[in-house]
Amino acid sequence: MNRFSFGPVVSERGVLFRLWAPKQQRVDLVIDDRPPVRMDLAADGWHMHESPEAGIGSRYRFILADGIEVPDPASRHQPADVHGPSEVVSDQFDWRCQDWRGRPWSETIIYQLHVGAFSDLGTFLGVISRLDHLRDLGVTAIQLMPIADFPGSRNWGYDGVLPYAPESSYGRPEDLRALIDAAHLRGMSVFLDVVYNHFGPDGNYLPSYSPIFTDNHKTPWGAGINFDGEQARFVRDFIIENALYWIDEFRVDGLRLDAVHAIKDDSREHLLQELARRVRAVTRERPVHLVVENEENDSSLLSGGVDHADRLYTAQWNDDVHHVLHVAMTGEDFGYYADYADDRAKIGRGLAEGFVFQGEEMAYRGSPRGQPSAELPPTAFISFIQNHDQIGNRAFGDRMADTISVAALRAGAAIYLLSPQIPMIFMGEEWASRRPFPFFCDFPPELNELVRKGRREELARLPGFDGHAEDVPDPTAETSFLSAKLDWDAMGQGDHAEFLALYRRLIELRKAEIVPRLQGIGGHSGSYSLDGDVVHVTWRMGDGSRLILVANLDATTRPFHPLPATRRLFIEGEMTDQEIGPWSVLWAIEEPVSSI
C-alpha cells in the first residue's frame, strides 16, 4: 500500500516512478545506464512510468524537455549529492526497539546537535557512538539540526533542497533509522528540525517543472512557497506528507518547524493548521510533539495544556528567555539585545509568562511584537541559554564560556534547567565547551563568494567591526566547519568536568522535583516581582505546590529576605539570611497544604 503521493513505489511488479511536473509536456526517465524512456502524462500534471526491471538499489533521474537532468524531488537517497541521480531504497528496517511508545512532553529535556559536528565521524552512526553520554547526562530527547539533503559536504542544514532524502554525507537512510532505534533503546526521543519556509539556493530544480513558488508572497529568501495559489494542493501535500513521512517511516517523535513566521498562506486553513491536524490524525497511539520557531511570538499556534491529544503545536522556542538571560549574563546590549537590557522585570516576565513582548512596541523592529502568553502553561515554551543561531550568528561563533565568568554561566544554567519551561541544551554546553560554532556551508564557487560578501556586510553592522571583518572565519572554508567539531577530550578536565557534574545534578533534580509537578500545570501559573534588582518568580505547579526562584544576576551582593515555609531544592552561589551574593540562584518548593 502506498502511503505517500510523491516518490517511487516499490512492488512485486517493479518500481512505479512518479513526477509532478505540470510545466512539462514531456518527461523522460533514465534508470541506471539504460536508454531513456518517455513517461506517461497523466491527470493534473503527473508523469508516470512503471518499470519491471527496476528495484531496490536502482538509480534514476528525470530528463526535462530542454534536456536538463533532475533528481526526484521526493528522492529517498542521493548517493552523489543533490545534482546526481536518486536511488530507490527500501522502507523496511529491522527495528530492535519494538515497544517504543514515546515519552510525554512534560518529561522532555532536549539536546540539540549538528550531525556533522557532533562526532569525529560526522555521521548518523557517529551520533550513536555518543548516545550513552547523553543518556547518562539525563537527556530524554535529541533534536537533529536539519538533515534534508543539501548541496556540498557541509552545511548548517537550512539550505536543504530534497526534503525526503537524509543528507548523504551523514549516511544512508538505514543509518538514520539505526540512530533513531538506538536512541529509543536508551529511552530517548528523537526530533527533527524541518524547513518548510524555503529551499536552498543550489540544487532546487522544482521551479523548472512545477509552480512551487508564488509572487504573491515575499520571504527573506525571495518568492514565497505556493501554499495558496493555483495548484497549491499538490505543493501543500508535498510538504505535509514530508512531515508524515518522517513520523511514519522513521518513527521520529517530533518535528521542530523552522521560522514558521515566514510561511505565508492566505488559505482558509493555513498550512500550519492543516499540517498539525493531519499529523494529529495519524498519531493517536503515541505522543508526537510539534514545535515551532516563530519570530512573531504568535501564541495562537500553541496549546492550552500539557500532554493533551487535541493540541495544535506543543511548544515554541522561547527566544525571549534566551535574550533576557543572555543580556544579564554578558552585559551585551547591541542589536535586538538592547530591547532586553536594563530591566530585570523582563527576566521575571519571560520565565513566568513565556513571552517578554506580548504586543508591546519593540524598538529594534520598530513595530509591536508578540501576543499575550500568560494563559499558556510554561511547558508551551522551550528555554535555553545557547543554540545554533545564538552562537553561530555571532561573528566568530564563540560560545558563552569564552566570554563570561564561570559564576554567570553556572547561574544561567541553574535557572533554565530547573524552570517549568522545557529546557534545551546545545551540544557541548554541558561541559562548557569552548569550541566555536560558526556559520558554515559548501556551495559552488560563485555562490560561495556571494555568501562571503553577504556575511561581511552583515557583520559590518555590528559594534566594533567598523566595516572590516577580515578576521572573521570564512563560512565557506572547510576549516570553519572543522573548528566546530566538539572537543570530547576536554569533557573530563578541570572546569569542564565541574560543569558536567553541575548539569547532571541539575537534570537529576529536575527529574525528581520538577517533572512530577508539571502534570496538570495550567495557564496563568507564574508570577514575578523584583526585590531591588533581585528577581523573584513563583509558579503554581500541577500538584498544588509552589515553585520559587530567587536570582541575583549581577556582580553585586544584594539584601535577601528569607522565604518562610519552604524547602530549598538548590542553591548556586553564596547566600545568607540577610544577603544573596553575586550570580546566586535559589530554588525552593512550598508543598501544598494537605486537606483534612
Side-chain angles (χ1 to χ4, degrees), residues 81-146:
D81 208 2
V82 299
H83 298 289
S86 304
E87 180 180 323
V88 180
V89 298
S90 174
D91 63 359
Q92 301 300 304
F93 185 75
D94 185 17
W95 297 96
R96 295 181 298 159
C97 188
Q98 294 291 339
D99 58 350
W100 179 254
R101 294 296 179 269
R103 299 191 70 139
W105 182 245
S106 57
E107 297 178 359
T108 303
I109 301 167
I110 303 172
Y111 190 96
Q112 187 197 24
L113 65 90
H114 181 278
V115 173
F118 181 67
S119 71
D120 291 337
L121 291 175
T123 62
F124 297 126
L125 299 183
V127 177
I128 294 177
S129 71
R130 296 294 185 178
L131 286 181
D132 287 345
H133 162 75
L134 300 183
R135 178 199 59 199
D136 295 343
L137 177 62
V139 166
T140 64
I142 61 172
Q143 179 178 304
L144 309 182
M145 287 178 64

Side-chain angles (χ1 to χ4, degrees), residues 326 329-330 332 386 391 394 396-406 409 428-429 431-438 483 487 496 499:
H326 181 92
M329 288 188 287
T330 66
E332 294 179 347
Q386 300 185 69
I391 301 172
R394 297 174 68 82
F396 296 93
D398 51 303
R399 296 184 182 235
M400 295 178 76
D402 258 350
T403 57
I404 68 173
S405 69
V406 169
L409 193 54
E429 174 194 324
W431 70 80
S433 173
R434 293 180 176 86
R435 286 288 172 90
F437 190 76
S483 73
D487 51 342
H496 298 298
F499 267 98

Side-chain angles (χ1 to χ4, degrees), residues 285-486:
E285 295 183 359
R286 65 183 176 102
V288 171
H289 309 298
L290 297 177
V291 172
V292 293
E293 178 196 29
N294 187 356
E295 173 64 26
E296 298 303 319
N297 284 357
D298 181 358
S299 57
S300 68
L301 292 175
L302 305 176
S303 68
V306 64
D307 299 335
H308 291 173
D310 61 350
R311 64 205 183 284
L312 191 61
Y313 285 86
T314 313
Q316 172 176 323
W317 274 24
N318 195 351
D319 284 338
D320 277 7
V321 160
H322 168 272
H323 296 345
V324 289
L325 292 178
H326 181 92
V327 169
M329 288 188 287
T330 66
E332 294 179 347
D333 59 0
F334 58 83
Y336 51 75
Y337 287 141
D339 289 309
Y340 298 86
D342 301 322
D343 188 353
R344 289 289 191 263
K346 289 180 177 178
I347 298 174
R349 193 183 202 195
L351 290 168
E353 299 183 3
F355 299 147
V356 171
F357 285 90
Q358 301 181 27
E360 296 85 359
E361 183 84 6
M362 188 174 181
Y364 179 77
R365 289 164 52 111
S367 62
R369 178 174 180 235
Q371 296 175 351
S373 57
E375 73 276 6
L376 295 167
T379 48
F381 304 95
I382 295 172
S383 60
F384 43 87
I385 55 174
Q386 300 185 69
N387 68 17
H388 74 280
D389 269 334
Q390 303 305 333
I391 301 172
N393 287 341
R394 297 174 68 82
F396 296 93
D398 51 303
R399 296 184 182 235
M400 295 178 76
D402 258 350
T403 57
I404 68 173
S405 69
V406 169
L409 193 54
R410 289 176 66 96
I415 289 175
Y416 95 92
L417 284 172
L418 293 182
S419 159
Q421 298 185 20
I422 300 300
M424 184 178 73
I425 302 164
F426 185 69
M427 63 178 196
E429 174 194 324
E430 69 272 27
W431 70 80
S433 173
R434 293 180 176 86
R435 286 288 172 90
F437 190 76
F439 176 69
F440 49 81
C441 60
D442 179 22
F443 292 129
E446 62 276 11
L447 268 179
N448 277 343
E449 179 54 37
L450 289 175
V451 170
R452 286 192 290 267
K453 180 176 182 292
R455 184 72 169 165
R456 288 193 297 267
E457 291 174 351
E458 178 183 358
L459 295 176
R461 295 193 293 268
L462 295 178
F465 280 93
D466 299 324
H468 301 285
E470 292 83 0
D471 295 333
V472 172
D474 178 355
T476 68
E478 184 181 21
T479 52
S480 296
F481 163 66
L482 293 176
S483 73
K485 289 273 191 177
L486 278 183

Side-chain angles (χ1 to χ4, degrees), residues 65 85 130 164 176 186 232 249 267-268 281 343 355 359 388 398 411 414 423 444 448 467 482 495 506 526 543 557 571:
R130 296 294 185 178
Y164 288 77
L176 174 58
R186 290 163 175 82
E249 292 200 1
S267 303
R268 178 172 298 179
D343 188 353
F355 299 147
H388 74 280
D398 51 303
N448 277 343
L482 293 176
D495 287 346
L506 288 168
D543 65 347
T557 298
I571 296 177

Side-chain angles (χ1 to χ4, degrees), residues 33 88 105 154 201 250 271 274 283 357 386 402 435 593-594:
D33 295 324
V88 180
W105 182 245
R154 55 192 180 272
F250 288 81
L271 175 84
E274 183 182 355
T283 57
F357 285 90
Q386 300 185 69
D402 258 350
R435 286 288 172 90
V593 178
S594 300

Side-chain angles (χ1 to χ4, degrees), residues 140-374:
T140 64
I142 61 172
Q143 179 178 304
L144 309 182
M145 287 178 64
I147 60 169
D149 214 317
F150 51 73
S153 62
R154 55 192 180 272
N155 196 286
W156 269 18
Y158 298 94
D159 293 309
V161 292
L162 294 171
Y164 288 77
E167 166 57 30
S168 57
S169 68
Y170 296 162
R172 295 183 57 83
E174 53 266 35
D175 296 335
L176 174 58
R177 289 185 171 96
L179 165 57
I180 294 168
D181 196 29
H184 288 168
L185 286 169
R186 290 163 175 82
M188 288 185 284
S189 303
V190 179
F191 300 160
L192 292 187
D193 193 337
V194 292
V195 183
Y196 296 150
N197 51 55
H198 75 286
F199 290 86
D202 179 44
N204 177 25
Y205 293 96
L206 279 162
S208 301
Y209 53 81
S210 69
I212 190 67
F213 293 124
T214 174
D215 291 330
N216 294 334
H217 301 295
K218 301 299 180 183
T219 75
W221 306 277
I225 297 179
N226 178 25
F227 292 130
D228 56 7
E230 187 176 353
Q231 297 182 299
R233 179 69 267 160
F234 299 96
V235 179
R236 293 170 74 94
D237 285 343
F238 182 72
I239 294 300
I240 293 171
E241 289 186 14
N242 180 255
L244 297 171
Y245 163 75
W246 294 121
I247 293 166
D248 180 28
E249 292 200 1
F250 288 81
R251 301 188 179 184
V252 302
D253 302 281
L255 301 172
R256 180 264 189 186
L257 278 65
D258 177 65
V260 299
H261 54 274
I263 297 177
K264 308 298 184 181
D265 182 7
D266 293 332
S267 303
R268 178 172 298 179
E269 183 180 35
H270 194 283
L271 175 84
L272 293 172
Q273 295 174 317
E274 183 182 355
L275 186 150
R277 174 175 59 79
R278 290 175 62 177
V279 167
R280 300 302 180 202
V282 299
T283 57
R284 297 294 184 184
E285 295 183 359
R286 65 183 176 102
V288 171
H289 309 298
L290 297 177
V291 172
V292 293
E293 178 196 29
N294 187 356
E295 173 64 26
E296 298 303 319
N297 284 357
D298 181 358
S299 57
S300 68
L301 292 175
L302 305 176
S303 68
V306 64
D307 299 335
H308 291 173
D310 61 350
R311 64 205 183 284
L312 191 61
Y313 285 86
T314 313
Q316 172 176 323
W317 274 24
N318 195 351
D319 284 338
D320 277 7
V321 160
H322 168 272
H323 296 345
V324 289
L325 292 178
H326 181 92
V327 169
M329 288 188 287
T330 66
E332 294 179 347
D333 59 0
F334 58 83
Y336 51 75
Y337 287 141
D339 289 309
Y340 298 86
D342 301 322
D343 188 353
R344 289 289 191 263
K346 289 180 177 178
I347 298 174
R349 193 183 202 195
L351 290 168
E353 299 183 3
F355 299 147
V356 171
F357 285 90
Q358 301 181 27
E360 296 85 359
E361 183 84 6
M362 188 174 181
Y364 179 77
R365 289 164 52 111
S367 62
R369 178 174 180 235
Q371 296 175 351
S373 57

Side-chain angles (χ1 to χ4, degrees), residues 490-549:
M491 183 172 56
Q493 303 171 6
D495 287 346
H496 298 298
E498 293 180 9
F499 267 98
L500 182 58
L502 173 68
Y503 270 68
R504 284 176 173 164
R505 180 186 171 199
L506 288 168
I507 291 173
E508 182 180 6
L509 186 59
R510 178 180 185 85
K511 289 181 174 180
E513 297 283 359
I514 308 302
V515 170
R517 304 173 193 271
L518 291 178
Q519 188 62 42
I521 195 169
H524 297 288
S525 61
S527 61
Y528 64 96
S529 63
L530 290 181
D531 184 359
D533 279 338
V534 177
V535 179
H536 289 248
V537 188
T538 300
W539 294 266
R540 296 191 314 275
M541 305 299 283
D543 65 347
S545 63
R546 293 173 67 241
L547 179 67
I548 301 169
L549 166 68

